[in-house]
Amino acid sequence: MTTPTVPPTPRIPETVHRRRWAILGVLMLSLLIVVLDNSILNVAIKTISTPAPTGLGATQSELEWAINSYTLVFAGLLFSAGLLGDRFGRKKVLLGGLAVFGVGSALAAESGSPAQLIAFRALMALGAAFVMPATLAVLMNVFEREEQPKAIGIWAGGVGLAIAIGPITGGLLLDHFWWGSVFLVNVPIVLLAVALMLWLVPDSRDPNPGRIDPAGVVLSVVGLVLLVYGIIKGGELADFTDPAVLSTICAGLVVLAAFVVLEKRSDHPSIDVTHFKNKVFSAAIAVIALVFFALMGVTFFSVFYTQSVRGYTPLQTGLLMLPLAAAQMAFAPRARLVVDRFGIKATTTTAMLVIAATLVAFATLDENTPIWLLEAVFFCMGAGMAHIMTPTSVVIMQALPREKAGSASALSNTFRQVGGALGIAVLGSVLSTSYRGGIEDDLGALPAGLRETAGESIEATLGVAAKLGARGGALVEPADAAFLHAMHVTALWGAGVAVVGAVVVGVFLPGRTKEPRPAPAEELAEAGS
């Protein structure tokens, strides 16, 4: 007798299968608050950098840490969080993560100093680390394999929705309330997500989960923090040869090397390095890290370009980012149709080159650039990102068994967050170093202490200029010119990283493995639903 090609019963229980789209909606709401928080913060960083009572008077390095304290804790705990979800149940982990995230958000809203904000952002990341991998792991356990690419595309489109809602919501809140409202808004969303999850989402777990690796978690977090701290400090000092900078960066690299050695020898590693023997899997992970390296760095400086140089309000800045989000929302669910026709390699290589081209375009912007051109650049960037994230997420998630969905999701998100954190650190340091070099000659007449403060960032220069009154007006034009030059240099660095990503994709990802099938009308209709 031959084994039937189709199982007699579906893998997913019928009661779960019937409500799978409602479950996806709840998962996207949970994902929304995690992504929403960062996209809101991107609009608020200029306000937070202004002196009290309007903001916290945070320096550029403190702003970078407000972002990176979140991304580093998030990245460092993601894999262990994925394993805990596999072991104890993804629904339980989701609920616990949402509760911690909500508490952290409420505390961050009441921060009285940049140091408190950095600490409470880390607490928020602790909760978010348990939310992100569990959403994708639950998705893989409520959809049959043939529907997974479409579901992942819609899930990825939810990121675009958060990118759209975040800056606009942040702008509206900052127009009417204090800066802490951008964190407090998370609390009602958390409460709604928890209520819906208790009602709709089924629990699932891995029957053979891996063991937790505390030593690996500690080494990975410590190594990344040391590395990123050294990079940010080098940008703050505009001197990467400073002994303190070099020693910190080297210490971070040594700790990370020890982490890799430990993981290779451990029988229960935080990251199973054997997965990376698969070149396709490794390339997909690397591309996710590289694209977020480039994009997170660009997002960081684009807010200062639109608000400090162009004079737009936080709400207007949020509206300017709509094309980026709209393109992601429109193209992410349809990216699988492009992959069906042209293959993963052609689709993602082209998309990486589009990202590189948009970053080169940033290097041409100045204070008089027509705003429609910036909108076109954002739209193309969102379209490129949609055609990278969906295909690579499908490759990663389908490379491991369904039971290991939490681990696969955690790997993907870990490298995305690490790439983003390093992007902010490296490109932020390039921006800071270039800006300081461009403005220092114009600060020569200031007292030494004030000169040091004014050289940290464009916001610091403009803050000092405002305090000097009419005499400080002469600093505004040089500050704009120095920032634009620094932004151009930083954008070209980001473009170089995107080109490296295109090469990785072109060499290692598979081409078209079967004849393209025509996309039926009903499938196209489903993609837009």
Side-chain angles (χ1 to χ4, degrees), residues 163-393:
I163 292 173
I165 293 174
I168 295 171
T169 304
L172 285 169
L173 290 169
L174 291 171
D175 271 2
H176 296 90
F177 305 102
W178 92 116
W179 64 267
S181 62
V182 302
F183 298 110
L184 198 60
V185 72
N186 292 330
V187 176
I189 303 176
V190 165
L191 294 175
L192 176 61
V194 167
L196 291 173
M197 196 169 297
L198 289 169
W199 176 34
L200 286 171
V201 176
D203 207 354
S204 63
R205 67 182 70 195
D206 183 355
N208 299 298
R211 291 162 56 195
I212 303 302
D213 174 27
V217 172
V218 171
L219 285 176
S220 64
V221 174
V222 170
L224 285 170
V225 168
L226 287 172
L227 177 61
V228 170
Y229 177 82
I231 293 170
I232 291 176
K233 191 66 177 175
E236 186 180 346
L237 298 175
D239 182 10
F240 284 88
T241 63
D242 183 275
V245 172
L246 285 176
S247 60
T248 306
I249 291 175
C250 289
L253 292 173
V254 168
V255 173
L256 290 175
F259 167 72
V260 172
V261 171
L262 175 69
E263 299 307 283
K264 290 178 70 173
R265 296 180 177 177
S266 175
D267 59 356
H268 58 285
S270 288
I271 295 179
D272 188 347
V273 293
T274 61
H275 294 324
F276 294 95
K277 293 180 180 179
N278 182 329
K279 289 189 288 188
V280 172
F281 180 86
S282 298
I285 288 283
V287 167
I288 284 179
L290 289 171
V291 75
F292 271 85
F293 180 101
L295 288 175
M296 289 295 284
V298 169
T299 303
F300 185 77
F301 69 64
S302 66
V303 172
F304 289 101
Y305 170 69
T306 54
Q307 294 187 37
S308 298
V309 176
R310 301 300 298 264
Y312 290 103
T313 66
L315 176 57
Q316 289 170 330
T317 296
L319 292 171
L320 287 174
M321 299 178 105
L322 266 179
L324 178 97
Q328 271 202 287
M329 291 171 61
F331 292 113
R334 295 170 171 79
R336 78 191 197 284
L337 304 178
V338 181
V339 171
D340 284 347
R341 183 170 296 276
F342 300 106
I344 291 177
K345 178 181 291 193
T347 302
T348 50
T349 302
T350 302
M352 285 300 296
L353 292 174
V354 168
I355 294 289
T358 59
L359 292 170
V360 171
F362 261 104
T364 68
L365 302 180
D366 59 33
E367 64 272 24
N368 299 312
T369 299
I371 205 63
W372 66 264
L373 186 57
L374 177 63
E375 299 295 85
V377 170
F378 275 141
F379 183 85
C380 292
M381 187 176 287
M385 191 172 177
H387 287 93
I388 295 166
M389 293 306 299
T390 301
T392 53
S393 295

Side-chain angles (χ1 to χ4, degrees), residues 435-446 451 475 478:
Y435 179 79
R436 188 183 291 272
I439 196 67
E440 60 183 357
D441 289 343
D442 296 286
L443 303 177
L446 298 177
R451 186 165 61 245
L475 290 176

Side-chain angles (χ1 to χ4, degrees), residues 48-133:
I48 294 172
S49 70
T50 58
T54 303
L56 293 176
T59 65
Q60 181 163 312
S61 61
E62 287 171 334
L63 290 174
E64 290 177 31
W65 275 114
I67 297 172
N68 280 337
S69 65
Y70 184 93
T71 53
L72 288 175
V73 172
F74 195 8
L77 296 178
L78 268 172
F79 204 82
S80 292
L83 289 175
L84 286 171
D86 290 343
R87 176 180 290 273
F88 297 112
R90 284 96 185 212
K91 180 176 180 176
K92 297 182 185 70
V93 162
L94 261 172
L95 290 170
L98 285 170
V100 172
F101 185 88
V103 171
S105 297
L107 291 172
E110 298 299 327
S111 299
S113 68
Q116 288 184 5
L117 178 61
I118 291 167
F120 292 138
R121 288 274 296 162
L123 179 62
M124 292 170 66
L126 174 64
F130 287 86
V131 173
M132 177 72 88

Side-chain angles (χ1 to χ4, degrees), residues 372-456:
W372 66 264
L373 186 57
L374 177 63
E375 299 295 85
V377 170
F378 275 141
F379 183 85
C380 292
M381 187 176 287
M385 191 172 177
H387 287 93
I388 295 166
M389 293 306 299
T390 301
T392 53
S393 295
V394 171
V395 167
I396 292 165
M397 294 305 296
Q398 294 190 345
L400 300 182
R402 185 196 298 262
E403 293 77 17
K404 302 294 183 183
S407 300
S409 172
L411 269 174
S412 171
N413 286 297
T414 294
F415 278 82
R416 185 178 73 172
Q417 294 298 325
V418 169
L422 289 175
I424 291 170
V426 174
L427 297 183
S429 293
V430 171
L431 183 73
S432 179
T433 302
S434 299
Y435 179 79
R436 188 183 291 272
I439 196 67
E440 60 183 357
D441 289 343
D442 296 286
L443 303 177
L446 298 177
L450 204 57
R451 186 165 61 245
E452 183 69 21
T453 301
E456 288 181 352

